[in-house]
Amino acid sequence: MRRIGILTSGGDCQALNAAMRGVVKSMATSGEQMEVFGFLNGYRGLIYGDYRMLDGNDFSGILTRGGTILGSSRTPFKTIREPDENGLDKVEAMKHNYYKLNLDCLVILGGNGTHKTANLLREEGLNIVTLPKTIDNDLWGTDMTFGFQSAVDIATNVIDSIHTTADSHGRVFIIEIMGHKVGFLTLNAGMASGADIILIPEIPYDIDKVVEAINKRKERGSKFTIIAVAEGAISKKDAKLSKKEYKKKLENLVHPSVSYEVAADIQKKTGQEVRVTVPGHMQRGGSPCAYDRVFASRLGAEAGKLILKGEYGFMVGYKDREIVKVPLQDVAGKLKRLDPDAAIIKEAKMLGISFGD
Ligand code: F6P
């Protein structure tokens, strides 16, 4: 009999349920007897001993369901060592609950922040296996995270819809895409929907180059321009600021986000009407796409295999088309970013897409 704890932490995404189902179903199929403790709302459930027992019925019919049956929350790593408002030591509390329930291991589904805490728990002696989730695809050690492809599909559909109205009105349209500090989502959705200009954090933009690209389109007779802007996009000027100076600028932003700043600059420089669309959390919502259902199920099944073998301290990731196990200490604290010299960027440029550089 194995006693397994499971939790989903950080911003949610599609296919979290599919991944958990993969872990439990694969282990059950192998004939393993187990008790599954589902901690509610991320690390909070583990800290405060808030869990419910899960059985086969809980994992039935959830392959296609978005969100997470366990709920999620953000428990920032930078304050994990600080006591809570009642003086509780959060790390000690997590260890206490793990040992009190006599768990064999903890399966943790999460992104960057989640992995830092997962690695800390590993260092503290707990048996941990993790799975890589996030629409941002910014997790080090895996070429792909689940949730990403579903979000690409949603963002692509948004830009597709904007295309027709942009055409009717001859406007410049900016669509702000999530992705935190990286541009994977914006690049892929932008390319999939035929965006004319793509601005991503990894390639700081020059607003005059953006305007140049818009004007070139006008000269060629195109009435409208579609610009996919990553929420973390940054101008060349701002990229020269120190981290502290840039943080201060963001705190005192005149505009709600970088897209509105780009829009105001374009309007001023071209006189063209500019509109901004922010699909926001829609990109994390709804049912996982087919790719993510398969991908998350595969990762879940491989995580189940690791647990059966008693191999702990790993994230189950995907490298060079193979499912791999990556030591947690290698994953924690590192950000995966797009390489500005990557082939896909060169190919996008060959297609005439401007990155404003
Ligand atoms: O990490 C996923 C993500 O959706 C990012 O793309 C975005 O910057 C952030 O989470 C939004 O966080 P929240 O849901 O806390 O507003």
Side-chain angles (χ1 to χ4, degrees):
M1 169 73 71
R2 267 177 227 252
R3 295 164 72 87
I4 295 160
I6 191 158
L7 65 86
T8 53
S9 172
D12 76 341
C13 70
Q14 302 87 345
L16 280 161
N17 291 326
M20 290 191 276
R21 172 184 174 272
V23 177
V24 173
K25 217 173 158 64
S26 68
M27 291 182 70
T29 305
S30 80
E32 185 71 17
Q33 294 296 309
M34 60 191 152
E35 282 185 325
V36 183
F37 299 73
F39 292 100
L40 306 180
N41 306 315
Y43 286 117
R44 242 185 247 166
L46 184 58
I47 295 169
Y48 299 108
D50 195 8
Y51 66 88
R52 68 185 176 89
M53 299 308 297
L54 304 172
D55 62 26
N57 290 329
D58 292 295
F59 296 97
S60 171
I62 63 166
L63 173 65
T64 61
R65 200 159 125 195
T68 157
I69 56 167
L70 294 178
S72 194
S73 67
R74 293 194 189 276
T75 309
F77 177 73
K78 62 177 179 211
T79 56
I80 201 77
R81 287 285 187 190
E82 290 170 18
D84 77 354
E85 56 282 9
N86 298 312
L88 182 78
D89 182 324
K90 290 175 277 200
V91 176
E92 283 309 313
M94 287 194 273
K95 285 163 64 180
H96 171 79
N97 285 320
Y98 178 95
Y99 290 119
K100 193 175 93 183
L101 296 172
N102 201 15
L103 297 181
D104 290 299
C105 75
L106 199 54
V107 180
I108 299 175
L109 290 77
N112 270 311
T114 301
H115 273 80
K116 289 188 205 164
T117 302
N119 187 45
L120 173 75
L121 293 175
R122 179 196 63 80
E123 285 167 352
E124 292 287 325
L126 307 195
N127 292 331
I128 309 287
V129 171
T130 69
L131 289 166
K133 68 96 227 206
T134 165
I135 63 164
D136 304 337
N137 195 29
D138 61 351
L139 201 54
W140 195 91
T142 184
D143 292 342
M144 183 75 75
T145 55
F146 58 83
F148 173 68
Q149 293 292 349
S150 302
V152 169
D153 283 358
I154 294 171
T156 300
N157 284 337
V158 171
I159 305 177
D160 284 350
S161 305
I162 294 293
H163 246 110
T164 56
T165 174
D167 190 16
S168 310
H169 289 272
R171 286 167 170 162
V172 173
F173 257 96
I174 292 179
I175 302 94
E176 182 175 294
I177 307 295
M178 274 188 169
H180 201 216
K181 292 180 181 161
V182 305
F184 292 102
L185 188 50
T186 309
L187 175 67
N188 282 273
M191 283 184 78
S193 57
D196 309 299
I197 301 170
I198 296 177
L199 305 183
I200 55 174
E202 293 87 342
I203 306 180
Y205 66 87
D206 173 346
I207 195 67
D208 290 326
K209 296 278 180 198
V210 174
V211 167
E212 204 179 290
I214 296 170
N215 287 339
K216 257 196 207 150
R217 279 182 57 77
K218 255 199 289 185
E219 281 158 26
R220 283 204 309 266
S222 307
K223 287 200 299 180
F224 68 94
T225 298
I226 299 284
I227 314 180
V229 176
E231 63 179 352
I234 185 167
S235 68
K236 279 191 194 264
K237 209 167 98 206
D238 286 348
K240 287 195 186 117
L241 298 175
S242 69
K243 232 176 164 181
K244 206 165 145 197
E245 288 167 329
Y246 185 57
K247 206 171 159 210
K248 201 162 162 208
K249 181 189 164 172
L250 290 182
E251 279 161 13
N252 300 308
L253 262 190
V254 183
H255 303 284
S257 68
V258 63
S259 299
Y260 289 89
E261 188 176 331
V262 173
D265 287 346
I266 293 173
Q267 195 136 7
K268 203 161 71 194
K269 285 178 186 269
T270 65
Q272 246 188 292
E273 255 191 309
V274 187
R275 292 287 186 272
V276 178
T277 295
V278 183
H281 289 77
M282 268 175 71
Q283 293 161 95
R284 282 191 351 214
S287 195
C289 67
Y291 180 95
D292 273 338
R293 292 178 200 184
V294 175
F295 183 48
S297 300
R298 289 185 63 195
L299 294 177
E302 294 290 343
K305 196 161 101 189
L306 284 188
I307 297 168
L308 289 173
K309 288 197 286 188
E311 286 191 49
Y312 302 120
F314 294 102
M315 173 184 83
V316 182
Y318 188 65
K319 273 261 159 217
D320 303 324
R321 294 170 175 264
E322 281 194 28
I323 303 217
V324 292
K325 51 177 196 191
V326 191
L328 279 179
Q329 60 268 37
D330 293 350
V331 177
K334 289 186 207 144
L335 187 71
K336 183 181 76 188
R337 308 191 83 204
L338 253 170
D339 175 2
D341 295 321
I344 186 169
I345 304 276
K346 293 194 180 108
E347 287 142 8
K349 286 184 176 175
M350 282 155 65
L351 296 169
I353 296 171
S354 163
F355 286 83
D357 60 337

